[in-house]
Amino acid sequence: MSTSLTIARPDDWHLHLRDGAMLSAVLPETARHFARAIIMPNLVPPVVTGAQAAAYRERILAAMPDGSSFEPLMTCYLTEDTDAADIAAAHASGLIKAVKLYPAGATTNSASGVANFDNVRDVLEKMAEIGLPLCVHGEVTDAEIDIFDREAVFIDRVLDPIRRATPGLRVVMEHITTKDGADYVLANDHDLGATITVQHLILDRNDMLVGGMRPHYYCLPILKRGHHREALLAAATSGDTRFFLGTDSAPHPTHAKESECCSAGCFTAPNALAILAQTFEKAGALDKLEGFISRHGPAFYGLPVNADTITLTKSDTATIFPAKIDAGEHTVTVFDPGFPVYWDVT
Ligand code: DOR
Ligand code: ZN
């Protein structure tokens, strides 16, 4: 018996595509299912200026599979030297759809991020004025704060003060991982949204740590306790338009994941939608899937919902996903949810 669901084509509101051979390898995996994606700027060196975002967009378009109409939505990386006028011009031309804030040192390639928020005040004020969203990696980086508390502390110490000081600033809390994050969104207005990843909806820290350390489940912000996962699933399946999919699909070479100092990131682009269909079905919320993956994100960003559709189908036999994909001289290991998935994009 098969069940199928046809919905507006989804977008990914938080994606890492990298550059060079890795870009060429992973781009088709996203372009196959998604119409658009917000492209993270944490290259080495980061994409800081409008000119750099334009050049990166050209490299993405050059790596596009034949016949694909995938649209990369570019971002600039906020640094303490960011020029507000340059960002405003990149927004006015339609090139960039958001600016990304990484607290300095928070995650992969975040060394150029912001340490002193007073130094980005003029940029944030300009963004509020022109309606350009700020995408936030919401973790403090202070050594004395436990890694499992870094999101909650960030909300109190950094995010809430920034939002109070910058009325009208539209903010996306990227990849929220805690009940604190979901509750903060719910307690605020529609200037505040949040993306949620696949892995944070289906896994908790036990899945990563009990019985041995599973490096392919290590990402940042790190997986939390089970009750946080439950709060995220409740938010994602609630139909509340402030929550939408951002996979944070973050490819690293397999050897860099399976190493003494594991790189953070889960590569979910190939199977994100299949896993989500199963997860929403299990939660009795299949009717809320289209909102979460195809409608709430465009509404937040002020973009049209995609006119074309995809069909998700459930069958009696488990879907086989590739274990790895080739990326130049390396491989990238595809996320394994740890349970059989019976859905697929057909
Ligand atoms: O797990 C993560 N990987 N979290 C991030 O914030 C960055 C990302 C990456 O670029 O690999
Ligand atoms: Zn990310």
Side-chain angles (χ1 to χ4, degrees):
M1 194 198 76
S2 74
T3 314
S4 65
L5 180 69
T6 297
I7 55 174
R9 185 173 292 279
D11 304 299
D12 185 349
W13 300 96
H14 181 129
L15 177 67
H16 297 269
L17 284 178
R18 317 298 191 205
D19 220 338
M22 184 65 94
L23 166 62
S24 301
V26 302
L27 177 58
E29 301 298 323
T30 287
R32 186 174 299 136
H33 297 158
F34 294 91
R36 301 168 289 200
I38 286 275
I39 309 301
M40 287 296 120
N42 63 332
L43 304 182
V44 189
V47 177
V48 174
T49 64
Q52 289 166 344
Y56 185 29
R57 181 171 177 277
E58 289 307 315
R59 298 199 295 282
I60 295 170
L61 295 178
M64 204 86 100
D66 286 345
S68 173
S69 53
F70 174 77
E71 189 187 349
L73 306 176
M74 307 311 293
T75 63
C76 286
Y77 187 121
L78 184 63
T79 74
E80 294 186 18
D81 297 322
T82 293
D83 175 7
D86 179 61
I87 293 297
H91 170 66
S93 73
L95 172 66
I96 65 165
K97 295 289 182 274
V99 170
K100 176 72 190 230
L101 165 65
Y102 286 101
T107 185
T108 311
N109 307 334
S110 61
S112 316
V114 177
N116 182 349
F117 286 87
D118 290 339
N119 293 338
V120 294
R121 177 121 307 286
D122 63 325
V123 182
L124 299 181
E125 277 164 12
K126 175 57 81 178
M127 289 170 61
E129 181 191 319
I130 63 180
L132 177 59
L134 180 71
C135 292
V136 175
H137 183 110
E139 289 189 289
V140 290
T141 54
D142 318 44
E144 75 275 12
I145 306 293
D146 189 279
I147 188 168
F148 291 100
D149 297 333
R150 288 178 172 199
E151 182 169 297
V153 173
F154 181 88
I155 293 168
D156 289 345
R157 286 197 196 163
V158 183
L159 182 58
D160 198 58
I162 286 179
R163 293 188 61 251
R164 285 178 194 283
T166 326
L169 181 66
R170 296 176 64 66
V171 173
V172 183
M173 294 173 70
E174 302 279 57
H175 44 53
I176 55 168
T177 62
T178 58
K179 181 171 190 307
D180 311 66
D183 286 347
Y184 184 71
V185 172
L186 291 170
N188 282 277
D189 57 26
H190 283 73
D191 282 345
L192 182 66
T195 58
I196 309 179
T197 75
V198 174
Q199 66 267 24
H200 292 101
L201 289 174
I202 61 170
L203 302 176
D204 62 36
R205 64 193 197 177
N206 274 11
D207 296 303
M208 179 176 59
L209 296 170
V210 173
M213 166 77 198
R214 290 175 187 76
H216 296 288
Y217 288 170
Y218 173 64
C219 65
L220 290 172
I222 199 159
L223 294 168
K224 306 294 195 300
R225 286 178 178 273
H227 78 91
H228 291 296
R229 186 193 67 78
E230 285 161 17
L232 299 174
L233 185 61
T237 57
S238 67
D240 190 307
T241 62
R242 291 170 289 185
F243 299 103
F244 39 94
L245 174 64
T247 65
D248 197 14
S249 181
H252 291 275
T254 299
H255 71 84
K257 294 289 296 173
E258 297 172 3
S259 81
E260 194 178 8
C261 183
C262 166
S263 300
C266 300
F267 179 55
T268 53
N271 51 10
L273 295 176
I275 297 170
L276 284 173
Q278 178 149 322
T279 303
F280 275 60
E281 183 195 32
K282 193 173 164 208
L286 213 42
D287 61 325
K288 300 294 196 301
L289 183 65
E290 184 179 29
F292 182 68
I293 67 182
S294 310
R295 294 189 174 274
H296 302 169
F300 185 91
Y301 278 92
L303 294 169
V305 172
N306 296 307
D308 68 335
T309 59
I310 60 159
T311 299
L312 289 149
T313 304
K314 183 187 183 188
S315 69
D316 292 333
T317 46
T319 311
I320 310 288
F321 301 106
K324 295 181 183 353
I325 65 162
D326 289 321
E329 60 204 65
H330 303 299
T331 68
V332 181
T333 299
V334 175
F335 180 74
D336 175 357
F339 50 77
V341 175
Y342 294 93
W343 287 83
D344 202 3
V345 182
T346 52

Coordinates of all heavy atoms in Angstrom, one line a residue, residues 14 16 40 100 102 175 248, ligand 2:
H14 N 18.3 27.3 5.7 CA 19.7 27.3 6.3 C 20.5 26.2 5.7 O 20.2 25.0 6.0 CB 19.5 27.2 7.8 CG 20.9 27.2 8.5 ND1 21.1 28.1 9.6 CD2 22.0 26.6 8.3 CE1 22.4 27.9 10.0 NE2 22.9 27.0 9.2
H16 N 24.5 24.8 4.1 CA 25.9 25.0 3.8 C 26.2 24.3 2.5 O 26.1 23.1 2.4 CB 26.8 24.4 4.9 CG 26.6 25.1 6.3 ND1 27.3 26.2 6.6 CD2 25.7 24.9 7.2 CE1 26.9 26.6 7.8 NE2 25.9 25.9 8.2
M40 N 24.6 29.7 3.6 CA 25.5 30.2 4.7 C 26.8 30.7 4.1 O 27.4 30.1 3.2 CB 25.7 29.1 5.7 CG 24.5 28.8 6.5 SD 24.0 30.2 7.6 CE 22.4 30.6 7.0
K100 N 24.2 37.1 8.3 CA 24.4 36.0 9.3 C 25.3 36.5 10.4 O 26.4 37.0 10.2 CB 25.0 34.8 8.6 CG 25.3 33.7 9.5 CD 24.1 32.9 10.0 CE 24.4 31.9 11.1 NZ 23.9 30.6 10.9
Y102 N 27.4 35.2 13.5 CA 28.1 34.1 14.3 C 28.8 34.8 15.4 O 29.7 35.6 15.2 CB 29.1 33.4 13.5 CG 28.6 32.4 12.4 CD1 28.6 32.8 11.1 CD2 28.2 31.1 12.8 CE1 28.2 31.9 10.1 CE2 27.8 30.3 11.8 CZ 27.8 30.7 10.4 OH 27.3 29.8 9.5
H175 N 18.5 27.1 13.6 CA 18.6 25.8 14.2 C 18.4 25.8 15.8 O 19.3 25.5 16.5 CB 20.0 25.2 13.9 CG 21.2 26.0 13.9 ND1 21.5 26.8 15.0 CD2 22.1 26.3 13.0 CE1 22.6 27.4 14.7 NE2 23.0 27.2 13.5
D248 N 20.3 23.1 7.9 CA 21.7 23.2 8.4 C 22.5 22.0 7.8 O 23.5 21.6 8.5 CB 21.8 23.3 9.9 CG 23.2 23.8 10.4 OD1 23.9 24.3 9.5 OD2 23.4 23.7 11.6
Ligands
ZN2 ZN 24.7 26.2 9.9

